[in-house]
Amino acid sequence: MKPWLIVLLIIILVLIAVLVLLYYFGNKMQKKAADNQAQMEAASQVVTMLVIDKKRLKLKEAGLPQIVIDQTPKYMRRSKVPIAKVKVGPQILNMICDEKVFEILPTKKEVKATVSGIYIMGVKGLRSSLEKPTGKKGFFRNLQDKARTALEEQKEIDAAKNKQKKKK
């Protein structure tokens, strides 16, 4: 057997083993995340709060309790997380937001939020509906939008041609 073929087979076997391990650990992590989400939803409550400010900060800079920082994995301590500074009743707290909530969370407005501990899971407007931000889109999102509009225009043109053919 040729040596390059043996090397190729070994590489393929290693890649298959890595894929199997990733699949196994991925399923395990997915089940764990679903259990954690169910526990958070069970412990959640609706709170009226005034959002003072929102930023992406490192955990150590966010002003969260020390027990929260100690419980996070070491590799996550350096990453930036979405933090909202809110006033709940007479207290001013720093809370962690969900990524989707962070995008629509208005500053300097009062909202009704679904909270589990120091984690904001959902948000609704108190006096009016929340506005979706029209922020900067990425390169691929712009390409997707252009392709989608071009496809819709082509469908409209095709539909008009079909109507003309039916009339004839």
Side-chain angles (χ1 to χ4, degrees), residues 15-29:
L15 286 176
I16 290 173
V18 167
L19 288 176
V20 168
L21 287 174
L22 282 175
Y23 178 76
Y24 173 74
F25 286 118
N27 279 343
K28 192 174 178 182
M29 295 297 283

Side-chain angles (χ1 to χ4, degrees), residues 31-46 71 95-99 101 113-122:
K31 288 176 186 175
K32 189 185 273 189
D35 291 341
N36 288 342
Q37 187 69 25
Q39 287 177 352
M40 284 178 38
E41 286 177 7
S44 67
Q45 53 188 335
V46 177
Q71 287 179 350
M95 302 182 93
I96 302 172
C97 294
D98 191 31
E99 286 293 332
V101 172
T114 307
V115 176
S116 178
I118 62 165
Y119 191 75
I120 301 174
M121 297 170 48

